[in-house]
Amino acid sequence: MSTKARKSRAARKAPEALGSRRAKASRATLRSAAKQPAVRDVRKKLGMTRKAFSRLTGYSERTIANWESGQPLGGTRLQRIAEIQRLQKALARVIRAEYIGEWLQRPNQGFAGLKPLEVIERGEADRIWRMIHELESGEPD
């Protein structure tokens, strides 16, 4: 059997049988996929449309639709969705969960008339976190 034929035959085998780096990477991907937040669940818990969620995350509606249909997230995308999920959970401690989406999209005097979503889009999510902290502690700065 020629070297080329052996390589072709080996390439058809399952990566696990090969014991290759690719197999290890594949197993790592499967493990991280099990830990990934379900994008649709995060969006639904926020009570947001894909369009609004797109603004919140900074990713396109098409990308979000792909994630919701099972395309895996990786790297900074996974980190961003995990951050949004943490924000949702924190907001649910100070705002009734069913109103979070509406609250994010309404002008708020606490943010100089900006919508909390706009505050996040501007890269000032720390202002939202500060508000959550103040509400939880009962002591405004």
Side-chain angles (χ1 to χ4, degrees), residues 48-116:
M48 300 181 93
T49 64
R50 275 194 191 138
K51 184 174 185 169
F53 193 69
S54 170
R55 289 180 59 195
L56 182 65
T57 62
Y59 293 105
S60 72
E61 288 180 63
R62 182 74 235 145
T63 297
I64 291 165
N66 288 341
W67 293 340
E68 288 183 354
S69 65
Q71 181 183 31
L73 290 84
T76 58
R77 293 173 173 199
L78 179 58
Q79 183 180 0
R80 181 70 178 144
I81 297 302
E83 288 171 4
I84 298 296
Q85 186 177 40
R86 281 193 304 275
L87 178 64
Q88 182 276 324
K89 288 177 180 180
L91 285 169
R93 292 192 308 259
V94 296
I95 300 172
R96 291 182 70 186
E98 60 269 21
Y99 296 118
I100 293 173
E102 184 180 335
W103 179 82
L104 285 167
Q105 298 177 71
R106 286 199 165 199
N108 188 307
Q109 291 308 310
F111 302 116
L114 291 173
K115 299 173 186 173

